[in-house]
Amino acid sequence: MARLERKTGRYVLGLPIILPLILIGILAAACVHFPDDTPKLDKSRREFDGDQKTVLKAIRTVLLNRDFGEAAETKPGRLETDYVVQGDWRTRVIATVRPIGRRRSEVTLAVITEKRSSDQWIPKSVMGKEQYEEFFDEIEIQTYREWYKAQ
């Protein structure tokens, strides 16, 4: 058991007490989480005039036109494409359409791009705000086309 020794009017902690305190401090510092260097998945939102069904049709058409292939509805209001591989890169799109009114919908669009490393795929941020805006503009125009087809 450690004892406090008295030297020149002050108490000095012995080595057996200081060493465990230092080790506890080092272990506590090792448990601190540092931010991850991998980018978060990019996604963006926009509201559209149109019911959920019409906007989903428009998104499917835009994805086909952009060579993402046929989008599958994994959940009601959620479309997902398979990965499109080009060299060391692969990309897929996830779109969620949520009704926010009788004739208004909110679209959340996530374009997931990954680059191949030696043994795994690493997520990369390549889509900027301008690219998402172009994507949304195409969806908006196609939504109006879908309305016109229905009439």
Side-chain angles (χ1 to χ4, degrees):
M1 190 148 235
R3 280 190 336 214
L4 296 176
E5 300 174 14
R6 186 173 174 108
K7 288 187 177 177
T8 65
R10 298 189 359 187
Y11 288 99
V12 178
L13 293 177
L15 184 62
I17 291 179
I18 293 175
L19 191 59
L21 290 175
I22 292 172
L23 288 175
I24 290 172
I26 291 172
L27 289 174
C31 294
V32 173
H33 294 293
F34 293 100
D36 199 4
D37 287 341
T38 59
K40 295 180 181 175
L41 298 178
D42 292 341
K43 64 180 169 180
S44 188
R45 287 191 174 101
R46 189 194 274 186
E47 292 182 7
F48 290 94
D49 292 327
D51 60 295
Q52 184 180 25
K53 184 178 175 183
T54 305
V55 174
L56 282 170
K57 280 184 188 177
I59 293 171
R60 275 195 175 102
T61 303
V62 169
L63 291 173
L64 277 172
N65 292 344
R66 284 186 164 225
D67 297 326
F68 281 103
E70 188 67 37
E73 192 164 356
T74 57
K75 296 179 185 173
R78 181 181 170 110
L79 295 174
E80 294 185 19
T81 65
D82 289 331
Y83 281 102
V84 176
V85 180
Q86 293 178 330
D88 287 344
W89 294 86
R90 70 179 185 177
T91 306
R92 73 185 290 210
V93 177
I94 300 173
T96 306
V97 180
R98 183 177 65 93
I100 55 173
R102 191 169 151 230
R103 292 202 162 261
R104 197 130 173 91
S105 299
E106 179 187 64
V107 175
T108 303
L109 193 64
V111 179
I112 301 161
T113 305
E114 299 174 340
K115 184 170 175 40
R116 183 189 305 253
S117 72
S118 59
D119 61 340
Q120 64 183 353
W121 292 96
I122 300 171
K124 298 286 184 180
S125 289
V126 295
M127 289 282 286
K129 184 173 179 155
E130 299 82 26
Q131 287 87 8
Y132 274 110
E133 291 302 317
E134 288 177 23
F135 217 127
F136 282 132
D137 291 344
E138 285 183 49
I139 293 169
E140 186 172 29
I141 291 169
Q142 189 60 40
T143 301
Y144 291 122
R145 288 181 185 144
E146 295 296 330
W147 278 352
Y148 182 74
K149 286 180 194 176
Q151 293 179 354

